[in-house]
Amino acid sequence: RATTAGTTRTLSISSYSTSHAKGYTCSVSTAQTSTIPVGTYPVILETPPPVPEITPPSQVQNVMLNGSETSLTVSWTAVTGTDPKYAIGYVVRYSSKSQSQTEPPFNAMKRSGITDTSTTLNRLQSGTTYYVWVAAEILGAGVQGPYSMRALNGVPSKVTGVSMSASVTSNQPSLCVTWSAPLSERTIQHYQVDYRVGTSGSWSTWSPNPTS
């Protein structure tokens, strides 16, 4: 496409391809004798530098899940990057359905750009089995490693039937707290009991955590 600006003629070439890297030969003709070239000008086009190939990060190891009533805490071991110029992030996908250990369902929820080695998934449905896939990614490069999958067989449902009774033995007051075991497809390892003095004191966690 030729354009005119004063006595300067500019020719622009569109749809350039790397297969044209040897160059173009341009013929300049007058309007009256368009079939007779008045000059030829070879145009040398430089080949663009090749885009460096980025090695995908390795597979995430030691994926662990810790469930509460409506949330899951996911943790894993940090992955070392393959190129110091690029930072490593993580992609976490989760779903109540699983199609394979290597690929999450297409409609699985996704959380990306994670730079820590743990994250918490909230607003989950209690008593439901969740599958979680974790992969390392090269931030800003669109290069991702393979997924690691882990399943938690049932986020525990809400604890119910909580009751308290006070007693005094040998001038020592005590408080007994009881509750009903929640619905869970997985063996419950322990419970967390928080307490405070009065209505405005700071909350403390009973230690050790009761197991029944």
Side-chain angles (χ1 to χ4, degrees):
R1 182 172 60 88
T3 59
T4 302
T7 59
T8 302
R9 305 293 190 272
T10 302
L11 176 67
S12 63
I13 302 173
S14 60
S15 302
Y16 166 67
S17 172
T18 54
S19 63
H20 305 160
K22 293 182 178 179
Y24 293 94
T25 297
C26 301
S27 297
V28 181
S29 305
T30 64
Q32 292 77 12
T33 58
S34 58
T35 59
I36 304 175
V38 296
T40 58
Y41 305 91
V43 180
I44 305 301
L45 303 176
E46 295 183 356
T47 303
V51 177
E53 184 176 349
I54 303 175
T55 303
S58 58
Q59 189 174 29
V60 174
Q61 301 295 325
N62 302 320
V63 177
M64 301 295 293
L65 304 181
N66 186 16
S68 61
E69 183 183 336
T70 57
S71 67
L72 275 177
T73 298
V74 190
S75 61
W76 56 88
T77 301
V79 172
T80 302
T82 56
D83 191 324
K85 297 192 300 294
Y86 299 98
I88 290 289
Y90 300 95
V91 177
V92 174
R93 303 194 67 177
Y94 58 101
S95 174
S96 59
K97 297 181 180 180
S98 172
Q99 61 184 26
S100 75
Q101 291 190 351
T102 58
E103 288 295 330
F106 74 94
N107 59 347
M109 300 295 290
K110 181 178 181 180
R111 183 172 296 178
S112 59
I114 303 169
T115 55
D116 294 327
T117 55
S118 67
T119 189
T120 300
L121 311 176
N122 297 309
R123 301 179 182 177
L124 304 182
Q125 185 175 353
S126 62
T128 302
T129 296
Y130 281 92
Y131 304 88
V132 180
W133 293 261
V134 183
E137 63 174 345
I138 306 294
L139 293 176
V143 178
Q144 180 180 302
Y147 280 106
S148 291
M149 191 270 278
R150 186 90 174 183
L152 181 67
N153 296 324
V155 176
S157 59
K158 184 177 180 180
V159 172
T160 59
V162 178
S163 63
M164 295 181 292
S165 60
S167 63
V168 177
T169 304
S170 300
N171 295 325
Q172 294 294 326
S174 63
L175 183 65
C176 178
V177 183
T178 60
W179 57 85
S180 301
L183 174 65
S184 177
E185 297 179 17
R186 189 181 184 187
T187 302
I188 296 175
Q189 297 178 347
H190 63 260
Y191 296 88
Q192 178 175 316
V193 178
D194 296 329
Y195 65 95
R196 68 179 179 182
V197 178
T199 58
S200 59
S202 299
W203 286 96
S204 300
T205 299
W206 184 266
S207 180
N209 290 321
T211 57
S212 61

